[in-house]
Amino acid sequence: MSEVQLAENSAVASAENLPDEQPLYPHSVRAEQSLKNMLGFSRHLLLKHPSLALTLFYLLASSLGLFLTVELLSRFDFSILPYLELTDFLLAAIVNPRSLVISALFFLLYFSLIVLDKKCRQWWACYAWAMEWNQRMTRWIPMWLSAVFGGMAYLYFSGLVAAQQIYQDIQDKVSPEFSLSLIYPMNPGGKETRMLQPVQLISRTSGYLVLYHEKQVMLIPHANVAAFVPLKKAVPVPAAKLAASAPESGKAADTATAVAPEKEPKKAA
């Protein structure tokens, strides 16, 4: 074998033994690979066991709905926990449809952030460097643990915001009002009555309606409800429209006074 062939063979052997080129952002690449593995496992679980995935989603929404109910009533200084049953947890997502919407928005937002993060790392080097530094600092935290912690934080603060919004609507009397007829009379304030109106619905459980009436929280058993009828609210007239219609009504009154014929005096008998 010639010296030229020996040199070529040694060059090829040395090239094969060279280490692979290191990526520019190794921690980001490692985190992205972990995320792909986690999403692949979730996709496999969803396709192979769709009923299990739907059950987990509904349990998540029910937990959020129960938290929303407890947090809302705590703003009225009322604890609903002693009156709750197991069925209230199972039906919490139906009683509070906002929990279903918030849970669905969480998954939509999560996958949107994954796509946006990848695009931003490709577009801006400063963002890629910042994410690399962040992944280096949190490399000991598993990806699934970060996702669970972030999801719980999102659901917690979303429940607080939703509870505050419902509470403010009830205080401002923006929420719907109802007329409640009872089978058995009640004695609020020492006065017996079978009808309460207007009342606002705060929440409901398997055994009670939780109402707001005259700045008080009332628990009415379903067995004592004869009728629960929504009331029509009067549409408020804007102040500008009232001011514009005032002169027109004054003119109409003056015209009617001017046009009206004077009555003839009665003749003496």
Side-chain angles (χ1 to χ4, degrees), residues 60-80:
L60 175 65
S62 295
S63 302
L64 178 60
L66 186 62
F67 168 74
L68 180 58
T69 300
V70 174
E71 179 63 27
L72 173 60
L73 286 167
S74 67
R75 297 175 185 270
F76 292 95
D77 297 327
F78 185 82
S79 177
I80 193 63

Side-chain angles (χ1 to χ4, degrees), residues 9 26-27 45 52 79 104 133-134 147 162 188 198 204 214 218 252 255-256:
N9 293 337
H27 294 89
L45 179 66
L52 177 60
S79 177
W133 180 85
N134 179 64
R204 62 181 182 271
E214 295 182 354
M218 307 183 69
T255 306

Side-chain angles (χ1 to χ4, degrees), residues 26 31 39 52 76 84 104 110 128 133 148 161 187 195 206:
L39 293 179
L52 177 60
F76 292 95
L84 294 179
Y110 183 73
W133 180 85
V148 170
V161 172
N187 298 310
M195 177 173 289
S206 59

Side-chain angles (χ1 to χ4, degrees), residues 14-249:
S14 60
E16 291 177 353
N17 294 329
L18 287 176
D20 296 335
E21 184 180 356
Q22 294 294 327
L24 185 59
Y25 303 108
H27 294 89
S28 297
V29 172
R30 189 180 300 112
E32 185 176 357
Q33 186 60 40
S34 299
L35 181 62
K36 285 182 179 179
N37 295 336
M38 186 180 68
L39 293 179
F41 173 77
S42 302
R43 180 174 177 272
H44 174 74
L45 179 66
L46 178 62
L47 294 177
K48 191 173 182 180
H49 307 284
S51 58
L52 177 60
L54 291 176
T55 301
L56 294 176
F57 173 78
Y58 185 79
L59 290 177
L60 175 65
S62 295
S63 302
L64 178 60
L66 186 62
F67 168 74
L68 180 58
T69 300
V70 174
E71 179 63 27
L72 173 60
L73 286 167
S74 67
R75 297 175 185 270
F76 292 95
D77 297 327
F78 185 82
S79 177
I80 193 63
L81 289 176
Y83 306 96
L84 294 179
E85 300 177 2
L86 179 60
T87 52
D88 294 320
F89 170 75
L90 299 176
L91 298 177
I94 300 175
V95 173
N96 296 292
R98 295 190 184 197
S99 61
L100 292 171
V101 177
I102 292 174
S103 301
L105 286 178
F106 162 69
F107 290 101
L108 179 62
L109 180 64
Y110 183 73
F111 290 113
S112 299
L113 288 178
I114 291 175
V115 176
L116 183 62
D117 174 72
K118 187 175 181 179
K119 294 294 183 182
C120 289
R121 282 191 281 108
Q122 295 174 355
W123 292 337
W124 297 299
C126 58
Y127 178 83
W129 179 87
M131 294 305 298
E132 173 67 14
W133 180 85
N134 179 64
Q135 294 296 338
R136 186 185 299 116
M137 294 296 102
T138 59
R139 61 183 180 273
W140 53 273
I141 302 178
M143 182 60 64
W144 65 268
L145 186 60
S146 301
V148 170
F149 179 78
M152 295 304 293
Y154 168 83
L155 296 175
Y156 175 76
F157 288 107
S158 298
L160 291 181
V161 172
Q164 178 61 30
Q165 183 178 0
I166 298 173
Y167 172 78
Q168 197 62 43
D169 289 345
I170 293 176
Q171 291 294 330
D172 297 338
K173 296 186 177 181
V174 178
S175 61
E177 295 181 342
F178 300 87
S179 174
L180 175 66
S181 299
L182 302 174
I183 300 175
Y184 306 105
M186 294 181 59
N187 298 310
K191 184 180 179 181
E192 185 175 292
T193 180
R194 290 178 181 268
M195 177 173 289
L196 298 173
Q197 69 175 19
V199 297
Q200 294 171 284
L201 179 64
I202 301 177
S203 183
R204 62 181 182 271
T205 67
S206 59
Y208 301 93
L209 285 177
V210 188
L211 306 175
Y212 190 68
H213 176 64
E214 295 182 354
K215 298 183 178 180
Q216 290 182 349
V217 178
M218 307 183 69
L219 237 64
I220 307 297
H222 291 303
N224 196 23
V225 176
F228 193 61
V229 183
L231 296 176
K232 292 184 179 180
K233 289 188 177 182
V235 180
V237 181
K241 191 174 181 179
L242 286 175
S245 61
E248 296 180 359
S249 60

